[in-house]
């Protein structure tokens, strides 16, 4: 039967060997000398061999036996391996190392994630992978466990049998059009005013479902999922679209956002994770950080 080593006993052995004495090793370990002697004796019993030569006088330095000399580098190796694993796990718990994977809708990925991740990661060695896509795609990545958690809208918040949704951000739906478009003269827009214009639907158009403006979706001939392409089409005057406020491209001087007052639709965005599944420590730490940041 193989001996089972205790890291503490190995440390005691190495300190006695390197410091050439039980008394100084006891001081380093903050233990009594009899406690260190007992620890070494138990280790020798497990190994079946003596580690130190018997001393002829109390003043003689402690010397290793030939077996002890063979065991010393191996004991150091075991301690180093143990300490590396312990340090790695401690860093993982403190989200300073590991690999964090998350998916987010583009509006949050571009507006809020950069600053959040900068403040969260700091100078750690944490690897981070961010995937940005529409809410449907984010949900799929969470369901398939391709990411630790997602940031998106849960359109059917009653269907949470497999997923847990924690709302974090909230914005209103509006109409986006070129700054010289007739709609741009209004401070608010009624959904019926959109019927006379070419409507381009997008990944957030599902927010109109179940509202009095739902009929707009049936008359929309065009669908563009990519935000860069959608913005380009809008700037070219191809049509108008509906977007939540956070999805409106910041700093764009060629487009205008007009709030939709009828119906008034609010989008809730939050953290989506699988029920009954614990997050890895870095992911849980980031979730806690996001929630704390929104409360400040």
């Amino acid at each position: 039967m193989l001996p089972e080593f205790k890291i503490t006993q190995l440390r005691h052995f190495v300190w006695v060997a390197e410091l050439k004495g039980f008394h100084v090793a006891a001081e380093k370990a903050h233990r009594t000398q009899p406690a260190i002697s007992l620890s070494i004796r138990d280790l020798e019993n497990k190994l079946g061999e003596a580690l130190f030569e018997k001393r002829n006088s109390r003043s003689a330095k402690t010397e290793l036996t030939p077996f002890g000399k063979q065991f010393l580098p191996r004991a150091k190796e075991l301690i180093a391996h143990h300490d590396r694993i312990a340090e790695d796990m401690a860093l993982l718990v403190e989200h300073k190392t590991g690999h964090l994977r998350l998916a987010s809708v583009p509006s949050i990925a571009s507006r809020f994630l950069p600053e959040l991740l900068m403040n969260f990661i700091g100078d750690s060695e944490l690897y981070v992978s961010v995937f940005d896509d529409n809410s449907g795609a984010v949900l799929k990545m969470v369901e398939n466990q391709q990411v630790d958690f997602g940031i998106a809208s849960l359109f059917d918040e009653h269907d949470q049998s497999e997923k847990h949704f924690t709302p974090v951000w909230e914005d209103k739906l509006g109409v986006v059009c070129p700054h010289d478009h007739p709609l741009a003269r209004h401070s608010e827009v009624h959904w019926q005013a959109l019927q006379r214009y070419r409507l381009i639907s997008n990944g957030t158009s599902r927010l109109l479902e179940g509202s009095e403006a739902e009929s707009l979706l049936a008359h929309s001939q065009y669908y563009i999922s990519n935000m860069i392409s959608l913005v380009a089409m809008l700037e070219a005057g191809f049509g108008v679209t509906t977007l939540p406020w956070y999805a409106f491209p910041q700093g764009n001087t060629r487009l205008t956002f007009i709030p939709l007052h009828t119906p008034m639709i609010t989008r809730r965005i939050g953290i989506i994770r699988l029920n009954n599944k614990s997050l890895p420590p870095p992911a849980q730490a980031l979730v806690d950080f996001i929630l704390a940041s929104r409360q400040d």
Side-chain angles (χ1 to χ4, degrees):
M1 184 175 177
L2 295 174
E4 294 185 5
F5 300 121
K6 293 181 180 179
I7 292 296
T8 303
Q9 289 180 332
L10 294 177
R11 291 191 200 278
H12 294 165
F13 162 65
V14 170
W15 290 339
V16 172
E18 291 183 337
L19 298 173
K20 302 290 186 181
F22 282 75
H23 180 71
V24 285
E27 289 182 342
K28 183 176 180 65
H30 302 289
R31 303 287 298 275
T32 63
Q33 183 170 330
I36 297 299
S37 298
L38 183 63
S39 178
I40 298 299
R41 192 177 309 124
D42 186 52
L43 180 60
E44 288 177 328
N45 290 335
K46 290 177 180 178
L47 291 167
E49 288 283 346
L51 293 169
F52 296 100
E53 299 284 4
K54 291 183 178 180
R55 292 174 292 173
N56 294 324
S57 67
R58 295 178 61 87
S59 61
K61 289 185 177 181
T62 303
E63 299 291 342
L64 288 168
T65 63
F67 178 81
K69 292 177 181 178
Q70 290 287 325
F71 184 61
L72 181 59
R74 290 167 174 80
K76 289 182 176 180
E77 184 180 345
L78 283 171
I79 294 170
H81 182 65
H82 168 274
D83 290 350
R84 281 195 301 271
I85 293 175
E87 184 179 0
D88 287 346
M89 293 303 98
L91 290 171
L92 187 62
V93 169
E94 296 171 6
H95 66 78
K96 292 182 178 179
T97 188
H99 195 161
L100 172 61
R101 299 173 178 85
L102 68 144
S104 172
V105 290
S107 54
I108 302 302
S110 60
R111 280 198 181 225
F112 298 108
L113 272 187
E115 183 177 357
L116 282 169
L117 288 176
M118 281 280 290
N119 293 333
F120 174 74
I121 294 170
D123 59 355
S124 73
E125 297 181 2
L126 183 67
Y127 289 88
V128 181
S129 296
V130 179
F131 306 90
D132 70 312
D133 214 322
N134 60 48
S135 286
V138 171
L139 291 177
K140 285 293 183 186
M141 282 189 271
V142 173
E143 291 169 358
N144 296 334
Q145 299 184 42
Q146 296 171 267
V147 293
D148 300 319
F149 68 91
I151 299 175
S153 296
L154 193 61
F155 291 106
D156 185 3
E157 293 187 17
H158 298 292
D159 181 22
Q160 298 190 35
S161 56
E162 295 182 355
K163 296 177 288 293
H164 182 267
F165 177 70
T166 305
V168 180
W169 297 275
E170 191 173 282
D171 59 357
K172 304 285 188 191
L173 195 69
V175 178
V176 178
C177 62
H179 67 88
D180 57 354
H181 192 277
L183 288 174
R185 296 194 296 266
H186 301 276
S187 59
E188 294 180 321
V189 177
H190 191 288
W191 74 270
Q192 290 178 336
L194 304 179
Q195 292 178 312
R196 71 190 76 165
Y197 303 108
R198 181 187 288 128
L199 183 67
I200 307 170
S201 59
N202 59 74
T204 67
S205 298
R206 286 188 60 184
L207 292 166
L208 295 172
E209 294 176 359
S211 75
E212 56 190 295
E214 185 174 9
S215 60
L216 289 172
L217 299 176
H219 296 95
S220 176
Q221 293 178 254
Y222 308 97
Y223 175 85
I224 301 177
S225 63
N226 182 274
M227 183 57 65
I228 295 176
S229 301
L230 177 63
V231 168
M233 296 294 278
L234 292 170
E235 289 178 341
F238 189 77
V240 301
T241 194
T242 58
L243 280 176
W245 169 241
Y246 288 151
F248 180 72
Q250 289 181 296
N252 190 301
T253 59
R254 301 177 63 181
L255 298 177
T256 300
F257 179 92
I258 312 109
L260 192 65
H261 73 80
T262 304
M264 185 177 289
I265 297 175
T266 300
R267 177 181 68 157
R268 297 210 305 166
I269 308 169
I271 294 165
I272 300 174
R273 52 187 290 183
L274 291 178
N275 274 331
N276 305 317
K277 184 173 177 60
S278 299
L279 293 175
Q284 184 62 61
L286 178 56
V287 167
D288 295 340
F289 183 80
I290 291 173
L291 296 177
S293 298
R294 297 306 296 168
Q295 292 170 1
D296 293 340

